[in-house]
Amino acid sequence: MTLPLPAPVFDANAQGGKDLGKLPEWDLTDLYPAPDAPELKRDMDWLEKACADFASDYEGKLAGLDAAGMLECVLRYEKIDLIAGRIMSFAGLRYYQQTTDPERAKFMSDCQDKITTYTTPLVFFSLEINRIPDDQLDALFEANEDLARYKPVFERLRAMRPYQLSDELEKFLHDQSVVGASAWNKLFDETMAGLEFQVQGETLGLEATLNLLTDHDRARREAAARELAATFTNNIKLFARVHNTLTKEKEIEDRWRGMPTPQTGRHLANHVEPEVVEALRDAVVNAYPKLSHRYYELKRKWLGLDKLEVWDRNAPLPMEDPRTIGWDDARSMVLDAYTDFAPKMAEIAEPFFHKGWIDAGVKPGKAPGAFAHPTVVDVHPYVMLNYLGKPRDVMTLAHELGHGVHQVLAAGQGELLASTPLTLAETASVFGEMLTFRKLLAKAKDPAEKKVLLAGKVEDMINTVVRQIAFYDFECKLHAARRGGELTPDDINALWMSVQDESLGPAFNFMEGYETFWAYIPHFVHSPFYVYAYAFGDGLVNALYAVYEEGNPDFQDKYFEMLKAGGSKHHKELLAPFGLDASDPKFWDKGLSMISGMIDELEAMEDGAA
């Protein structure tokens, strides 16, 4: 039960700017007042004893428990999960505020080491649960309604039954995790946070350099892209070593477990059937020509170029107003959009702004990108941004606040049932983004502004759907190739370019050095095959939003009920009230047609607003 840290999620749409007003910072005292706080020591001491007592009371005895006894066991396990989660949330969030601070890195490692040691005796729990016959467990659920509420937890554990190792091996894997994947993750994070890029006389970090890829000045975009390529190339042996090691470690564990594919573990964790993911993947790849290829050909014309270079992919349009949006205005835009949908949504989001639940500014050593971390159900989520004041930054705020609203609503399920699988975790975030986009589009003052907004949304959706499925294909190829032996940096570069050309299309040239851009994507390191969840979430929300626009009765009530369910229901059950089914291949076409329809609009507007 080693607690996962809140991994930073790169947001390809973060932007740059100044004069933003006072940006909020995290107040982590709702978790603990300080690293040396007596409350933290109290909880760590409690955790050590609680884990030992749990093992003493239950190891070897789970199969003999009656329904009341099993419920008490589950509640004790849940409390351990909550306290361990609180400690690691505090340690992880402090670390991501300043990943280059050795004290913060040491504190997080020490907490992780202790919790891993304390929770090792609990490994028996899932192993013994999985040895109880189905009919015996079903009888316990029938006998106790409170226990039956936890049935989804048992179902998730039992999904791993075919891949379970011996008790001794499971304990070994749990123990050595702190010097395995998590150690390589930390090396990657610290290396990325410490990189410096020299762009036109300025020394910049990764986030600020990536932001320049959206600069109005094409020469500045090119300088940033070439410096990124040069720096990644200089460090490519290290990044190749990280990927080779993590991919091989996964292959070894998958082989021992008997998992049929490298993706199996992710599909099980996401509670999604492999054929549903493949239907999504195939639908998106088949749609490349009518989505990304078609859009980038339009953009090439707008920019007046014979070919797009990679530094033009996220370039602003020529007619785009290079305005900076202050923090207060961004807050109003998002909360107004949320209020228009349902006042309750804005009421849940509002405290994030004034209670220290958002860390918005760009600071040296801070992790790049953006995320919303749910912490634990008896505290509240925290949102991290790198806010630099461009319109797409407002979309990132809307996105992460959507996560926050979802996490607040799901907290009522309790620690073991609140967390949603990745495939559903993006629902409220992408929906919040869509609400904000539609609000801004309705207020557009002329066709040129509407065109810029539409183009920006299409680019965001391409980044979320097309790019992430291309990333998924890259990972599939990477893990398959690694099974044949060690991969050189050139080998990995070639795999990367094979999906870039296919997904981006003929409008692009690819500069020398772009083949190394796989190196900075954190998902490949932190969460293998995570990326398809973005495309799943975007497709799901596009279909959901279409139902909303069609005037589905009581949509808001159904929507909040879906978010409140957290991880307690399967995607089929959650989508049924809306008349949707993600296992139907046509479901994905419904979502993709929304993107295609926006490109139709842009093509129709071209003559009038070019």
Side-chain angles (χ1 to χ4, degrees), residues 197 210 213 222-236 239 309-311 467 489-490 492-494 496-497 500 509-521:
F197 303 84
L210 289 167
L213 297 179
E222 178 179 356
R226 295 197 182 280
E227 178 63 10
L228 287 164
T231 303
F232 294 155
T233 300
N234 289 340
N235 291 275
I236 204 67
F239 296 131
E309 299 289 346
V310 293
W311 55 81
R467 291 281 286 169
D490 285 345
I492 304 177
N493 292 347
W496 173 256
M497 292 309 299
Q500 295 305 304
N509 274 331
F510 297 100
M511 70 171 184
E512 185 178 351
Y514 182 66
E515 67 273 8
T516 65
F517 273 46
W518 54 269
Y520 77 94
I521 310 295

Side-chain angles (χ1 to χ4, degrees), residues 128-289:
E128 287 192 27
I129 289 293
N130 285 347
R131 286 196 285 265
I132 298 174
D134 289 339
D135 56 354
Q136 184 180 338
L137 261 185
D138 289 341
L140 294 179
F141 296 140
E142 288 174 15
N144 190 304
E145 189 177 331
D146 292 333
L147 178 64
R149 200 175 76 78
Y150 288 94
K151 189 175 181 181
V153 177
F154 287 85
E155 288 172 346
R156 279 176 222 153
L157 289 176
R158 291 166 81 78
M160 283 296 294
R161 252 194 308 186
Y163 314 111
Q164 193 165 288
L165 299 174
S166 69
D167 293 15
E168 187 176 34
L169 272 175
E170 292 288 357
K171 287 179 180 177
F172 168 76
L173 287 173
H174 180 89
D175 252 359
Q176 69 88 44
S177 62
V178 293
V179 291
S182 65
W184 289 95
N185 287 348
K186 200 160 69 167
L187 172 64
F188 173 84
D189 290 342
E190 291 172 357
T191 301
M192 276 298 163
L195 290 181
E196 291 185 343
F197 303 84
Q198 308 299 321
V199 183
Q200 297 181 338
E202 282 188 274
T203 301
L204 303 172
L206 175 64
E207 186 77 14
T209 309
L210 289 167
N211 288 335
L212 292 179
L213 297 179
T214 60
D215 199 276
H216 274 267
D217 183 343
R218 192 168 190 240
R220 195 154 168 77
R221 296 199 305 272
E222 178 179 356
R226 295 197 182 280
E227 178 63 10
L228 287 164
T231 303
F232 294 155
T233 300
N234 289 340
N235 291 275
I236 204 67
K237 289 182 180 178
L238 172 61
F239 296 131
R241 172 59 47 221
V242 170
H243 283 68
N244 267 293
T245 304
L246 287 171
T247 309
K248 183 62 179 178
E249 182 190 56
K250 187 178 190 316
E251 185 273 324
I252 292 168
E253 183 171 336
D254 285 351
R255 176 159 36 89
W256 276 75
R257 292 190 181 282
M259 289 194 171
T261 72
Q263 299 85 1
T264 298
R266 177 61 61 201
H267 298 338
L268 288 169
N270 284 342
H271 322 310
V272 65
E273 300 75 15
E275 57 272 19
V276 172
V277 178
E278 285 311 298
L280 163 65
R281 181 262 170 204
D282 292 346
V284 174
V285 171
N286 291 336
Y288 284 169

